[in-house]
Amino acid sequence: MPFLRCLMNLSLFSLLLCPAATLANQPELEWCLDHLPPRQIYLASQQPTGPVVDLMQQLARQSGFTLKFSPPTPIARCLKLMQQGKTDLMTGLLWSAQREQFMLLLPFDNARPDALFSRHQQNPLNSLTALNGKTIALAADRHYPPAFIQLLQQHQVKMKQVPNLEQALALLHYGNVDLVAGPQHITMNLLENNPRLSAKIGLNPWQPPQPQQQKNHLALSRLSPHFELHQQISQQLQLITGQQQTDFYQTTKSEPATETTKPD
């Protein structure tokens, strides 16, 4: 009997260890992310939260990998790491042929269109014809859909390219350009975290028409050591998005006050 009891105890102990052993054997994929509410809230010294974080954790469970979070990292830096194969995953990217060369892009959510931002004290634009002759700052580290660029060209808008959105907003702040174009949620979050800029700059009340719906994508680096999981990840992502409408901009989750962390 003591021998039998010992065997039973060993079997029970093995069962208890099994889930931990399974997790230990799973590949670990790093998700490169930053603080981008309302999709993901990632403040210094805190674990990220938010609807996209929930999605990524569910995707990891169903796809058989362990999800690792990068430190809060600006989008431009994440893109460079993805291109070098030094991180594995990103979310919320628009498709472009250049990005497709070094990342597999899997659609999962409707994207907000690029928006126009103007100074509060100037007369806001209210029509397409009002764009004629204006000067607009575009960020080199953002992707603008070709149809949006064509629209600007059709209305003789002067386009000034600068390295990032922060520099574009600085030009607008000092009156060196008339407008800034950028992803609505990212640009508004930059303004919210910079009272000096938000005192002078805001979302223009009128926005140009968007010719087609853009999609946000989950990206997997083609140089990731775990790229062989791409079919499994793609299948599980389709199952998850097929079960519910994924609109991560209409979340009702509360957002804590932000301090110093700023997305790029």
CSV table of all heavy atoms in Angstrom, one decimal, residues 178-220:
chain,number,residue,atom,x,y,z
A,178,ASP,N,0.3,74.7,-43.0
A,178,ASP,CA,-1.1,75.0,-42.7
A,178,ASP,C,-1.8,73.8,-42.0
A,178,ASP,O,-2.8,74.0,-41.3
A,178,ASP,CB,-1.9,75.3,-44.0
A,178,ASP,CG,-1.3,76.5,-44.7
A,178,ASP,OD1,-1.2,77.6,-44.1
A,178,ASP,OD2,-0.8,76.4,-45.9
A,179,LEU,N,-1.3,72.6,-42.3
A,179,LEU,CA,-2.0,71.4,-41.9
A,179,LEU,C,-1.0,70.3,-41.6
A,179,LEU,O,0.2,70.3,-42.1
A,179,LEU,CB,-2.9,70.9,-43.0
A,179,LEU,CG,-4.1,71.8,-43.4
A,179,LEU,CD1,-4.6,71.3,-44.7
A,179,LEU,CD2,-5.2,71.8,-42.3
A,180,VAL,N,-1.4,69.3,-40.8
A,180,VAL,CA,-0.7,68.1,-40.6
A,180,VAL,C,-1.6,66.9,-40.9
A,180,VAL,O,-2.8,67.0,-40.5
A,180,VAL,CB,-0.1,68.0,-39.1
A,180,VAL,CG1,0.3,66.5,-38.8
A,180,VAL,CG2,1.1,68.9,-38.9
A,181,ALA,N,-1.1,65.9,-41.5
A,181,ALA,CA,-1.9,64.7,-41.8
A,181,ALA,C,-1.3,63.6,-41.0
A,181,ALA,O,0.0,63.4,-41.1
A,181,ALA,CB,-2.0,64.4,-43.2
A,182,GLY,N,-2.1,62.8,-40.3
A,182,GLY,CA,-1.5,61.7,-39.5
A,182,GLY,C,-2.7,60.8,-39.0
A,182,GLY,O,-3.8,61.2,-39.1
A,183,PRO,N,-2.3,59.6,-38.6
A,183,PRO,CA,-3.3,58.7,-38.0
A,183,PRO,C,-4.1,59.4,-36.9
A,183,PRO,O,-3.4,59.9,-36.0
A,183,PRO,CB,-2.5,57.5,-37.5
A,183,PRO,CG,-1.2,57.6,-38.2
A,183,PRO,CD,-1.0,59.0,-38.5
A,184,GLN,N,-5.4,59.4,-36.9
A,184,GLN,CA,-6.1,60.2,-36.0
A,184,GLN,C,-5.9,59.9,-34.5
A,184,GLN,O,-5.6,60.7,-33.7
A,184,GLN,CB,-7.6,60.0,-36.3
A,184,GLN,CG,-8.5,60.9,-35.4
A,184,GLN,CD,-10.0,60.8,-35.8
A,184,GLN,OE1,-10.3,60.6,-36.9
A,184,GLN,NE2,-10.9,60.9,-34.8
A,185,HIS,N,-5.9,58.5,-34.2
A,185,HIS,CA,-5.7,58.2,-32.8
A,185,HIS,C,-4.3,58.5,-32.3
A,185,HIS,O,-4.1,58.9,-31.1
A,185,HIS,CB,-6.1,56.7,-32.5
A,185,HIS,CG,-5.2,55.7,-33.2
A,185,HIS,ND1,-5.2,55.6,-34.6
A,185,HIS,CD2,-4.3,54.8,-32.8
A,185,HIS,CE1,-4.3,54.7,-34.9
A,185,HIS,NE2,-3.8,54.2,-33.9
A,186,ILE,N,-3.3,58.2,-33.1
A,186,ILE,CA,-1.9,58.5,-32.7
A,186,ILE,C,-1.6,60.0,-32.5
A,186,ILE,O,-1.0,60.4,-31.6
A,186,ILE,CB,-1.0,57.8,-33.7
A,186,ILE,CG1,-1.1,56.3,-33.6
A,186,ILE,CG2,0.5,58.2,-33.4
A,186,ILE,CD1,-0.2,55.5,-34.6
A,187,THR,N,-2.1,60.7,-33.5
A,187,THR,CA,-1.8,62.2,-33.5
A,187,THR,C,-2.6,62.9,-32.3
A,187,THR,O,-2.0,63.7,-31.6
A,187,THR,CB,-2.2,62.8,-34.8
A,187,THR,OG1,-1.7,62.1,-35.9
A,187,THR,CG2,-1.7,64.3,-34.9
A,188,MET,N,-3.8,62.4,-32.1
A,188,MET,CA,-4.6,63.0,-31.0
A,188,MET,C,-3.9,62.7,-29.6
A,188,MET,O,-3.9,63.5,-28.7
A,188,MET,CB,-6.0,62.6,-31.0
A,188,MET,CG,-6.8,63.2,-32.2
A,188,MET,SD,-8.6,62.8,-32.2
A,188,MET,CE,-9.1,63.8,-30.8
A,189,ASN,N,-3.4,61.5,-29.5
A,189,ASN,CA,-2.7,61.1,-28.3
A,189,ASN,C,-1.4,61.9,-28.1
A,189,ASN,O,-1.1,62.2,-26.9
A,189,ASN,CB,-2.4,59.6,-28.3
A,189,ASN,CG,-2.0,59.0,-27.0
A,189,ASN,OD1,-2.8,59.1,-26.0
A,189,ASN,ND2,-0.8,58.5,-26.9
A,190,LEU,N,-0.7,62.2,-29.2
A,190,LEU,CA,0.4,63.0,-29.0
A,190,LEU,C,0.1,64.4,-28.5
A,190,LEU,O,0.7,65.0,-27.6
A,190,LEU,CB,1.1,63.2,-30.4
A,190,LEU,CG,2.1,62.1,-30.9
A,190,LEU,CD1,2.5,62.3,-32.3
A,190,LEU,CD2,3.3,62.0,-30.0
A,191,LEU,N,-1.0,64.9,-29.0
A,191,LEU,CA,-1.5,66.3,-28.6
A,191,LEU,C,-1.9,66.2,-27.1
A,191,LEU,O,-1.6,67.1,-26.3
A,191,LEU,CB,-2.6,66.7,-29.5
A,191,LEU,CG,-2.3,67.1,-30.9
A,191,LEU,CD1,-3.5,67.4,-31.7
A,191,LEU,CD2,-1.3,68.3,-31.0
A,192,GLU,N,-2.6,65.2,-26.7
A,192,GLU,CA,-3.1,65.1,-25.3
A,192,GLU,C,-1.9,65.0,-24.4
A,192,GLU,O,-2.0,65.5,-23.2
A,192,GLU,CB,-4.0,63.8,-25.2
A,192,GLU,CG,-5.3,63.9,-25.9
A,192,GLU,CD,-6.1,62.6,-25.9
A,192,GLU,OE1,-5.5,61.6,-25.4
A,192,GLU,OE2,-7.1,62.6,-26.5
A,193,ASN,N,-0.8,64.5,-24.8
A,193,ASN,CA,0.4,64.4,-23.9
A,193,ASN,C,1.3,65.6,-24.0
A,193,ASN,O,2.4,65.6,-23.4
A,193,ASN,CB,1.2,63.1,-24.3
A,193,ASN,CG,0.5,61.9,-23.7
A,193,ASN,OD1,0.1,61.8,-22.5
A,193,ASN,ND2,0.3,60.9,-24.6
A,194,ASN,N,0.9,66.6,-24.8
A,194,ASN,CA,1.7,67.8,-25.0
A,194,ASN,C,0.8,69.0,-24.9
A,194,ASN,O,0.3,69.5,-25.9
A,194,ASN,CB,2.5,67.7,-26.3
A,194,ASN,CG,3.6,68.8,-26.4
A,194,ASN,OD1,3.4,69.9,-25.9
A,194,ASN,ND2,4.7,68.4,-27.0
A,195,PRO,N,0.6,69.5,-23.7
A,195,PRO,CA,-0.3,70.7,-23.5
A,195,PRO,C,0.1,71.9,-24.4
A,195,PRO,O,-0.8,72.6,-24.8
A,195,PRO,CB,-0.2,71.0,-22.0
A,195,PRO,CG,0.2,69.7,-21.4
A,195,PRO,CD,1.1,69.1,-22.4
A,196,ARG,N,1.4,72.1,-24.6
A,196,ARG,CA,1.8,73.3,-25.4
A,196,ARG,C,1.3,73.2,-26.8
A,196,ARG,O,0.9,74.2,-27.4
A,196,ARG,CB,3.3,73.3,-25.3
A,196,ARG,CG,3.9,74.6,-26.1
A,196,ARG,CD,5.4,74.7,-25.9
A,196,ARG,NE,6.1,73.5,-26.4
A,196,ARG,CZ,6.6,73.5,-27.7
A,196,ARG,NH1,6.4,74.6,-28.5
A,196,ARG,NH2,7.2,72.4,-28.1
A,197,LEU,N,1.3,72.0,-27.4
A,197,LEU,CA,0.9,71.8,-28.7
A,197,LEU,C,-0.7,71.8,-28.8
A,197,LEU,O,-1.3,72.4,-29.7
A,197,LEU,CB,1.4,70.4,-29.3
A,197,LEU,CG,2.9,70.4,-29.6
A,197,LEU,CD1,3.3,69.0,-30.1
A,197,LEU,CD2,3.3,71.4,-30.6
A,198,SER,N,-1.3,71.1,-27.8
A,198,SER,CA,-2.8,70.9,-27.9
A,198,SER,C,-3.4,72.3,-27.6
A,198,SER,O,-4.6,72.5,-28.0
A,198,SER,CB,-3.2,69.9,-26.8
A,198,SER,OG,-2.9,70.3,-25.5
A,199,ALA,N,-2.7,73.2,-27.0
A,199,ALA,CA,-3.3,74.6,-26.8
A,199,ALA,C,-3.5,75.3,-28.1
A,199,ALA,O,-4.4,76.2,-28.2
A,199,ALA,CB,-2.4,75.4,-25.9
A,200,LYS,N,-2.7,74.9,-29.1
A,200,LYS,CA,-2.8,75.6,-30.4
A,200,LYS,C,-3.3,74.7,-31.6
A,200,LYS,O,-3.7,75.3,-32.6
A,200,LYS,CB,-1.4,76.1,-30.8
A,200,LYS,CG,-1.0,77.4,-30.1
A,200,LYS,CD,0.2,78.0,-30.7
A,200,LYS,CE,0.6,79.3,-30.1
A,200,LYS,NZ,1.8,79.9,-30.8
A,201,ILE,N,-3.3,73.4,-31.4
A,201,ILE,CA,-3.6,72.5,-32.5
A,201,ILE,C,-4.7,71.5,-32.1
A,201,ILE,O,-4.8,71.1,-31.0
A,201,ILE,CB,-2.3,71.7,-32.9
A,201,ILE,CG1,-1.2,72.6,-33.3
A,201,ILE,CG2,-2.6,70.6,-34.0
A,201,ILE,CD1,0.1,71.9,-33.5
A,202,GLY,N,-5.6,71.2,-33.1
A,202,GLY,CA,-6.6,70.3,-32.9
A,202,GLY,C,-7.1,69.6,-34.2
A,202,GLY,O,-6.6,70.0,-35.3
A,203,LEU,N,-8.0,68.7,-34.1
A,203,LEU,CA,-8.5,68.0,-35.2
A,203,LEU,C,-9.4,69.0,-36.0
A,203,LEU,O,-10.3,69.6,-35.5
A,203,LEU,CB,-9.4,66.8,-34.7
A,203,LEU,CG,-10.0,65.9,-35.8
A,203,LEU,CD1,-8.9,65.1,-36.5
A,203,LEU,CD2,-11.0,64.9,-35.2
A,204,ASN,N,-9.1,69.1,-37.3
A,204,ASN,CA,-9.9,70.0,-38.1
A,204,ASN,C,-11.4,69.4,-38.2
A,204,ASN,O,-11.6,68.2,-38.4
A,204,ASN,CB,-9.3,70.0,-39.6
A,204,ASN,CG,-9.9,71.1,-40.4
A,204,ASN,OD1,-9.6,72.3,-40.2
A,204,ASN,ND2,-10.8,70.8,-41.3
A,205,PRO,N,-12.4,70.3,-38.0
A,205,PRO,CA,-13.7,69.8,-38.0
A,205,PRO,C,-14.2,69.1,-39.2
A,205,PRO,O,-15.0,68.2,-39.2
A,205,PRO,CB,-14.6,71.1,-37.8
A,205,PRO,CG,-13.6,72.1,-37.2
A,205,PRO,CD,-12.3,71.8,-37.8
A,206,TRP,N,-13.7,69.5,-40.4
A,206,TRP,CA,-14.0,68.9,-41.7
A,206,TRP,C,-12.9,67.9,-42.1
A,206,TRP,O,-11.7,68.3,-41.9
A,206,TRP,CB,-14.3,69.9,-42.8
A,206,TRP,CG,-14.4,69.3,-44.2
A,206,TRP,CD1,-15.5,68.8,-44.7
A,206,TRP,CD2,-13.4,69.1,-45.1
A,206,TRP,NE1,-15.3,68.3,-46.0
A,206,TRP,CE2,-14.0,68.5,-46.2
A,206,TRP,CE3,-12.0,69.3,-45.1
A,206,TRP,CZ2,-13.2,68.1,-47.4
A,206,TRP,CZ3,-11.2,68.9,-46.2
A,206,TRP,CH2,-11.9,68.3,-47.3
A,207,GLN,N,-13.2,66.8,-42.6
A,207,GLN,CA,-12.2,65.8,-43.0
A,207,GLN,C,-12.5,65.4,-44.5
A,207,GLN,O,-13.7,65.3,-44.9
A,207,GLN,CB,-12.2,64.6,-42.1
A,207,GLN,CG,-11.7,64.9,-40.7
A,207,GLN,CD,-10.3,65.3,-40.6
A,207,GLN,OE1,-9.5,64.8,-41.4
A,207,GLN,NE2,-10.0,66.2,-39.7
A,208,PRO,N,-11.5,65.2,-45.3
A,208,PRO,CA,-11.7,64.8,-46.7
A,208,PRO,C,-12.3,63.4,-46.8
A,208,PRO,O,-12.1,62.6,-45.9
A,208,PRO,CB,-10.3,64.8,-47.3
A,208,PRO,CG,-9.4,64.7,-46.1
A,208,PRO,CD,-10.0,65.3,-45.0
A,209,PRO,N,-13.0,63.1,-47.8
A,209,PRO,CA,-13.6,61.8,-48.0
A,209,PRO,C,-12.6,60.7,-48.1
A,209,PRO,O,-11.5,60.9,-48.7
A,209,PRO,CB,-14.5,61.9,-49.2
A,209,PRO,CG,-13.9,63.0,-50.0
A,209,PRO,CD,-13.3,64.0,-49.0
A,210,GLN,N,-12.8,59.5,-47.6
A,210,GLN,CA,-11.9,58.4,-47.7
A,210,GLN,C,-12.5,57.5,-48.8
A,210,GLN,O,-13.6,57.0,-48.6
A,210,GLN,CB,-11.8,57.7,-46.4
A,210,GLN,CG,-11.2,58.5,-45.3
A,210,GLN,CD,-9.7,58.9,-45.6
A,210,GLN,OE1,-9.0,58.1,-46.1
A,210,GLN,NE2,-9.3,60.1,-45.2
A,211,PRO,N,-11.7,57.2,-49.8
A,211,PRO,CA,-12.3,56.4,-51.0
A,211,PRO,C,-12.5,54.9,-50.6
A,211,PRO,O,-13.4,54.3,-51.2
A,211,PRO,CB,-11.2,56.5,-52.0
A,211,PRO,CG,-9.9,56.8,-51.3
A,211,PRO,CD,-10.4,57.6,-50.1
A,212,GLN,N,-11.9,54.4,-49.7
A,212,GLN,CA,-12.1,53.0,-49.3
A,212,GLN,C,-11.7,52.7,-47.9
A,212,GLN,O,-10.9,53.5,-47.3
A,212,GLN,CB,-11.3,52.1,-50.2
A,212,GLN,CG,-9.8,52.3,-50.2
A,212,GLN,CD,-9.0,51.4,-51.1
A,212,GLN,OE1,-9.6,50.8,-52.0
A,212,GLN,NE2,-7.7,51.4,-51.0
A,213,GLN,N,-12.3,51.7,-47.3
A,213,GLN,CA,-12.0,51.3,-45.9
A,213,GLN,C,-10.6,50.7,-45.8
A,213,GLN,O,-10.2,49.8,-46.5
A,213,GLN,CB,-13.0,50.3,-45.4
A,213,GLN,CG,-12.8,49.8,-44.0
A,213,GLN,CD,-13.0,50.9,-43.0
A,213,GLN,OE1,-14.0,51.5,-42.9
A,213,GLN,NE2,-11.9,51.2,-42.2
A,214,GLN,N,-9.8,51.3,-44.9
A,214,GLN,CA,-8.5,50.7,-44.6
A,214,GLN,C,-8.6,49.7,-43.5
A,214,GLN,O,-9.5,49.7,-42.7
A,214,GLN,CB,-7.6,51.8,-44.2
A,214,GLN,CG,-7.3,52.9,-45.2
A,214,GLN,CD,-6.4,52.3,-46.3
A,214,GLN,OE1,-5.3,51.7,-46.0
A,214,GLN,NE2,-6.8,52.5,-47.6
A,215,LYS,N,-7.6,48.8,-43.5
A,215,LYS,CA,-7.6,47.7,-42.5
A,215,LYS,C,-6.3,47.8,-41.6
A,215,LYS,O,-5.2,48.2,-42.2
A,215,LYS,CB,-7.6,46.3,-43.1
A,215,LYS,CG,-9.0,45.9,-43.7
A,215,LYS,CD,-9.9,45.5,-42.5
A,215,LYS,CE,-11.2,44.9,-43.0
A,215,LYS,NZ,-12.1,44.6,-41.9
A,216,ASN,N,-6.5,47.6,-40.3
A,216,ASN,CA,-5.3,47.4,-39.5
A,216,ASN,C,-4.9,46.0,-39.6
A,216,ASN,O,-5.7,45.0,-39.8
A,216,ASN,CB,-5.7,47.7,-38.0
A,216,ASN,CG,-5.5,49.2,-37.7
A,216,ASN,OD1,-4.7,49.9,-38.2
A,216,ASN,ND2,-6.4,49.7,-36.8
A,217,HIS,N,-3.6,45.7,-39.5
A,217,HIS,CA,-3.0,44.4,-39.7
A,217,HIS,C,-2.2,44.0,-38.4
A,217,HIS,O,-1.5,44.8,-37.8
A,217,HIS,CB,-2.1,44.4,-40.9
A,217,HIS,CG,-2.8,44.6,-42.2
A,217,HIS,ND1,-3.3,45.8,-42.6
A,217,HIS,CD2,-3.2,43.7,-43.1
A,217,HIS,CE1,-3.9,45.7,-43.8
A,217,HIS,NE2,-3.9,44.4,-44.1
A,218,LEU,N,-2.2,42.7,-38.2
A,218,LEU,CA,-1.2,42.1,-37.3
A,218,LEU,C,0.0,41.7,-38.2
A,218,LEU,O,-0.2,41.1,-39.3
A,218,LEU,CB,-1.7,40.8,-36.7
A,218,LEU,CG,-0.8,39.9,-36.0
A,218,LEU,CD1,-0.2,40.5,-34.7
A,218,LEU,CD2,-1.4,38.5,-35.7
A,219,ALA,N,1.2,42.0,-37.8
A,219,ALA,CA,2.4,41.8,-38.6
A,219,ALA,C,3.3,40.8,-37.9
A,219,ALA,O,3.5,40.8,-36.7
A,219,ALA,CB,3.2,43.1,-38.8
A,220,LEU,N,3.8,39.8,-38.7
A,220,LEU,CA,4.8,38.9,-38.2
A,220,LEU,C,6.1,39.1,-39.0
A,220,LEU,O,6.0,39.0,-40.3
A,220,LEU,CB,4.3,37.4,-38.4
A,220,LEU,CG,5.2,36.3,-38.1
A,220,LEU,CD1,5.7,36.3,-36.6
A,220,LEU,CD2,4.6,34.9,-38.4
